[in-house]
Amino acid sequence: MVSGEKSERSGEAARSGAARTRGRPRSFDRATALEAALLAFWEHGYEATSVSDLTRVMDIGAPSLYAAFGDKRSLFEEVVQEYGARYGSFGDRALAEEPTARAGVERMLREAAAEYTAPGRPHGCLVIHAAANCSTAEVEESLRERRNANIASIERRIGADVADGALPPDTDAAALARYTGAMIQGMSQQARDGATRAELEALAEIALAVWPRG
């Protein structure tokens, strides 16, 4: 009888342990899941990427997604930060490291041609593409602010060169910066439409021809 009672208790403990295991959220690698979400948003944009799409590519359940990242918008904000750090920082580095604004923009455009057509990941720029057909005003505004901040950085760099005499005093820094931003955005879309790195590099060469000389 004692032996039977012990077996019964052991069986109950095993069933209870199994139930607790089933109820416990499955662990996952957060960085891997975030990268999967980044690629999904990059490929399809914010609006077209559903929560079910995200849980599928991230290989986690919805409760785990919400617990680790918050809602879809919060996850996207983290994705944009991660994208900027890993894939989108080449422009800032070029402006900071090159001796002139023109040299910085030349490097920026050439690196954009390479980055936007790199194999093994979506083409173009996430910050540009994810806003397409976006009906979520807060997300659309956040991405617009990022794009405008990039143009403002270019304008400041050009303005510094005008002040230093590296560019003519009548250079329209705002217009030249917006022109550069338009080229970057256009290259992103061209890459998504199938343009090659060589084709984008040729486009960058033509774009640089309009720059004034000091």
Side-chain angles (χ1 to χ4, degrees), residues 102 171 175-176 179-180 183 204-213:
R102 188 186 190 284
T171 300
L176 194 54
Y179 166 77
T180 303
M183 292 305 304
E205 194 67 33
I206 295 171
L208 289 163
V210 308
W211 270 68
R213 297 286 183 174

Side-chain angles (χ1 to χ4, degrees), residues 127-128 131 140 143-152 185:
V127 175
I128 295 169
E140 188 177 22
L143 294 173
R144 183 186 302 115
E145 287 176 357
R146 284 181 173 274
R147 294 192 298 273
N148 286 335
N150 290 337
I151 293 173
Q185 292 172 22

Side-chain angles (χ1 to χ4, degrees), residues 95 147-158 177-178:
L95 290 177
R147 294 192 298 273
N148 286 335
N150 290 337
I151 293 173
S153 294
I154 298 169
E155 181 179 350
R156 286 193 297 271
R157 189 69 179 85
I158 295 170
R178 194 157 293 280

